[in-house]
Amino acid sequence: MNWKDEYKKKISTPERAIADIHDGNCVVMGHAAASPHIIQHALAEHCEDYNDVLIFHMTTLGENECLHPRCYGHFRHVSNFLSANSRDAVNHLEGDFFPAYFKDVPEMIGDEIPCDVAVFQATPPNEEGYCSLGVSCDYALAAIRVAKSVIIETNELMPFTYGEGMIHVSQIDHIIPCAYHLPELHAEAPSEVEMAIGRHCSTLIADGSTLQLGIGAIPNAVLQSLGDKNDLGIHSEMFSDGVADLMRRGIINGSRKTMHKGKAVATFIMGSRELYDFVDGNEDIELYPVNYTNDPFIIAQNYRMVSINSCLEVDLMGQVASESIGMRQYSGIGGQIDFVRGATMSREGKSIIAMPSTAAGGTISRIKPFLTPGAAVSTTRNDVNYIVTEYGIARLKGRTLKHRAEDLIRIAHPDFRPMLIEEYERRFCCKYEVD
Ligand code: COA
């Protein structure tokens, strides 16, 4: 049968497609802006028909109706990265968080993460019958490979992207043709504090560097501070609006990259409608599975690799907590430590963890004598290199515990320095005499 006949035969309805999901099954769903909203809606509408169905997802952008409390008891949510709309469902009695690096998810699918049914979005097929996975390549291919049933929403408004995120019509069981706009994430204009952090980070970024930028307000502010740089490249987990802006201006051109020269490499894309238009059919951008993009040994092969990520708090030894506030799981590790390690191994590479010096409207110092009890360490004190706040840069790599504490106190908010100095003097049995 040629692929066009096969395509027609596989066209299905959401109701017929979800009939492949049975009690006790595990369903793996598409990530971030590529969440499959039609199937999520159908499942939520029919949630009473299901018992103990495990749903695995990571960040889910936009309205994911399966997360609504009315679905609790029918669907259990398991994830290794939480977002605002999934925190309650995953932390609910029946849900759970599992600590895991993003790069390991493809290998875990079919093993630690069983996958009976895979539900993803893609573009309609091209002339050869291949659908692009669009804005999310990450773990999709792994799930599609092992699932007993593959349900794909072929969305006419999904951007077509290059790289390895392609599936053939023959790999699909149910095709749901559709046309809906992807959910958007709009970055707010950076605050004064965030711009100051961005400027400090930019002093650490040399022309010709290849960058990874993490999630949150800080990476966005860093991108806005790079207007005077030349020949930057991208090898990242996420591709955002700020990156697209520097590509349009020719500042990011990949001309000095040692891997994928001239191409911006990522595993998923999340941002505004303009960003989705920019990446659609853009041959300068390539998406690869996350076990490739986030592999420290691949990352390290980039010359002048610089990773820029954010965190929630840092203790005076340089232990970095990026994913939980005490026992409360806030997000996940994603690729933070993989990029820290990859950048550290890269020739002339650097890793930067950047954060505002305070949280909660200035009432809490993010630099602390001790991490909040229960906080997970995302970047260990042995891996950490540069820590940046609006007050400056502390280079911790190669520094003793005493010098680390001194450097961190120097970039802490002035209101909290006396408290930190008191701890320093108690811990090291000496006066703090640093300017
Ligand atoms: N104690 C108490 N509350 C804190 C806190 C602390 N130490 N640190 C932050 N918060 C609060 C903030 O005040 C804010 O609250 P609000 O929403 O009420 O304003 C909230 O927690 C989020 O903090 P913020 O720093 O604004 O988060 P962000 O959106 O900039 O994201 C991370 C920062 C660290 C959560 C995010 O970068 C992350 O998840 N990192 C880990 C994964 C990663 O680095 N991946 C990299 C590869 S893509």
Side-chain angles (χ1 to χ4, degrees), residues 219-423:
N220 186 37
V222 174
L223 284 162
Q224 294 202 17
S225 306
L226 300 179
D228 61 345
K229 304 287 175 191
N230 298 296
D231 301 333
L232 299 177
I234 293 292
H235 182 107
S236 194
E237 177 180 304
M238 188 173 101
F239 185 102
S240 64
D241 279 272
V243 173
D245 183 45
L246 291 183
M247 280 180 80
R248 284 189 199 98
R249 292 161 62 190
I251 292 163
I252 292 176
N253 57 30
S255 62
R256 290 167 70 181
K257 280 183 87 179
T258 42
M259 293 190 79
H260 303 279
K261 201 185 246 330
K263 307 285 180 190
V265 166
T267 198
F268 75 97
I269 296 164
M270 189 161 65
S272 67
R273 179 96 45 93
E274 294 75 47
L275 175 67
Y276 303 144
D277 289 343
F278 178 76
V279 302
D280 187 17
N282 189 333
E283 293 188 31
D284 295 335
I285 299 155
E286 293 183 347
L287 296 200
Y288 291 90
V290 67
N291 47 327
Y292 176 80
T293 56
N294 288 23
D295 179 341
F297 295 104
I298 299 293
I299 297 163
Q301 291 173 50
N302 288 290
Y303 164 63
R304 281 194 184 160
M305 182 75 212
V306 182
S307 71
I308 304 137
N309 291 296
S310 196
C311 73
L312 297 164
E313 55 185 29
V314 177
D315 73 10
L316 282 180
M317 297 191 284
Q319 299 194 96
V320 178
S322 310
E323 49 181 303
S324 75
I325 303 171
M327 284 302 291
R328 188 163 76 88
Q329 191 66 43
Y330 186 81
S331 55
I333 189 161
Q336 183 169 118
I337 190 67
D338 298 311
F339 279 97
V340 165
R341 289 184 176 148
T344 304
M345 289 189 286
S346 137
R347 187 160 55 94
E348 295 184 34
K350 293 185 186 111
S351 80
I352 302 170
I353 301 283
M355 59 171 187
S357 63
T358 63
T363 59
I364 293 173
S365 175
R366 296 206 197 211
I367 296 178
K368 298 192 155 161
F370 303 96
L371 295 180
T372 305
V377 174
S378 310
T379 292
T380 76
R381 63 183 191 168
N382 308 302
D383 291 290
V384 72
N385 192 355
Y386 293 94
I387 300 278
V388 177
T389 72
E390 68 274 28
Y391 292 100
I393 302 169
R395 186 171 188 209
L396 303 189
K397 195 176 163 63
R399 305 279 282 164
T400 63
L401 291 178
K402 196 171 162 197
H403 289 143
R404 284 173 180 226
E406 288 164 1
D407 289 346
L408 286 166
I409 292 169
R410 185 173 44 76
I411 63 163
H413 191 286
D415 290 355
F416 295 98
R417 285 181 203 165
M419 169 274 287
L420 294 167
I421 289 170
E422 198 178 309
E423 170 60 20

Side-chain angles (χ1 to χ4, degrees), residues 62-345:
E63 175 82 341
N64 178 349
E65 292 177 53
C66 293
L67 295 165
H68 285 188
R70 73 185 155 106
C71 297
Y72 293 176
H74 305 289
F75 306 135
R76 282 190 297 132
H77 294 272
V78 172
S79 183
N80 61 331
F81 201 102
L82 307 188
S83 42
N85 64 354
S86 66
R87 250 169 236 135
D88 285 349
V90 174
N91 286 323
H92 186 263
L93 219 52
E94 285 117 11
D96 211 349
F97 178 85
F98 76 91
Y101 301 125
F102 192 2
K103 80 163 169 26
D104 291 340
V105 168
E107 208 170 288
M108 290 171 134
I109 288 176
D111 195 353
E112 289 88 354
I113 307 167
C115 177
D116 299 291
V117 180
V119 190
F120 288 85
Q121 267 197 68
T123 63
N126 66 10
E127 279 308 303
E128 284 85 43
Y130 283 95
C131 306
S132 160
L133 289 167
V135 295
S136 246
C137 183
D138 35 63
Y139 53 85
L141 293 172
I144 290 165
R145 216 172 288 131
V146 303
K148 294 180 201 102
S149 175
V150 175
I151 304 170
I152 302 290
E153 299 179 6
T154 51
N155 185 354
E156 282 177 28
L157 301 182
M158 172 62 87
F160 186 98
T161 57
Y162 291 93
E164 286 184 3
M166 291 282 178
I167 51 162
H168 194 260
V169 166
S170 58
Q171 294 173 271
I172 308 175
D173 297 291
H174 293 274
I175 292 169
I176 316 288
C178 55
Y180 63 88
H181 286 294
L182 300 187
E184 297 176 63
L185 182 74
H186 289 280
E188 283 176 27
S191 64
E192 262 312 303
V193 164
E194 288 157 356
M195 284 311 291
I197 294 168
R199 285 192 294 275
H200 289 309
C201 289
S202 92
T203 65
L204 296 171
I205 299 170
D207 287 349
S209 296
T210 289
L211 310 180
Q212 173 262 334
L213 296 125
I215 285 174
I218 301 294
N220 186 37
V222 174
L223 284 162
Q224 294 202 17
S225 306
L226 300 179
D228 61 345
K229 304 287 175 191
N230 298 296
D231 301 333
L232 299 177
I234 293 292
H235 182 107
S236 194
E237 177 180 304
M238 188 173 101
F239 185 102
S240 64
D241 279 272
V243 173
D245 183 45
L246 291 183
M247 280 180 80
R248 284 189 199 98
R249 292 161 62 190
I251 292 163
I252 292 176
N253 57 30
S255 62
R256 290 167 70 181
K257 280 183 87 179
T258 42
M259 293 190 79
H260 303 279
K261 201 185 246 330
K263 307 285 180 190
V265 166
T267 198
F268 75 97
I269 296 164
M270 189 161 65
S272 67
R273 179 96 45 93
E274 294 75 47
L275 175 67
Y276 303 144
D277 289 343
F278 178 76
V279 302
D280 187 17
N282 189 333
E283 293 188 31
D284 295 335
I285 299 155
E286 293 183 347
L287 296 200
Y288 291 90
V290 67
N291 47 327
Y292 176 80
T293 56
N294 288 23
D295 179 341
F297 295 104
I298 299 293
I299 297 163
Q301 291 173 50
N302 288 290
Y303 164 63
R304 281 194 184 160
M305 182 75 212
V306 182
S307 71
I308 304 137
N309 291 296
S310 196
C311 73
L312 297 164
E313 55 185 29
V314 177
D315 73 10
L316 282 180
M317 297 191 284
Q319 299 194 96
V320 178
S322 310
E323 49 181 303
S324 75
I325 303 171
M327 284 302 291
R328 188 163 76 88
Q329 191 66 43
Y330 186 81
S331 55
I333 189 161
Q336 183 169 118
I337 190 67
D338 298 311
F339 279 97
V340 165
R341 289 184 176 148
T344 304
M345 289 189 286

